[in-house]
Amino acid sequence: MVKRFDTPAHQELLANLKEVRAEAINHARLARDLSRQRRHLIDTLLAEGFSQSDLARELGVTRQAIQKMVAAGSD
């Protein structure tokens, strides 16, 4: 048996669910774009002679975090 969204309360909940889903999809797309930009900037700075440690220090993260960012972009 298929349950229907008959009541206004259920229809409102479903509408809210659809809005949240659309926002989550949009945020995921933005996160991918920002990740690509971050990778490009890291690559540029590394090519300019800065070390992963230099970048980590400036960003307030560990060198291992920079390594992960670099490795993630090489997929």
Side-chain angles (χ1 to χ4, degrees), residues 2 29 42-43 46 55 59:
V2 175
R29 186 178 334 103
I42 289 172
D43 286 346
L46 292 173
L55 298 179
L59 294 176

Side-chain angles (χ1 to χ4, degrees), residues 10-71:
H10 288 147
Q11 290 173 356
E12 184 177 347
L13 288 170
L14 182 60
N16 288 342
L17 176 61
K18 288 179 180 181
E19 287 177 30
V20 168
R21 179 181 180 272
E23 283 297 316
I25 290 169
N26 187 46
H27 282 276
R29 186 178 334 103
L30 290 172
R32 281 192 307 273
D33 291 345
L34 291 171
S35 180
R36 282 188 205 106
Q37 287 178 358
R38 178 180 62 195
R39 175 57 199 266
H40 173 73
L41 294 167
I42 289 172
D43 286 346
T44 301
L45 289 166
L46 292 173
E48 292 286 327
F50 292 97
S51 70
Q52 290 182 0
S53 294
D54 295 329
L55 298 179
R57 196 171 23 262
E58 290 297 318
L59 294 176
V61 300
T62 64
R63 183 182 49 78
Q64 291 82 359
I66 299 296
Q67 286 177 322
K68 286 181 182 180
M69 292 176 206
V70 169

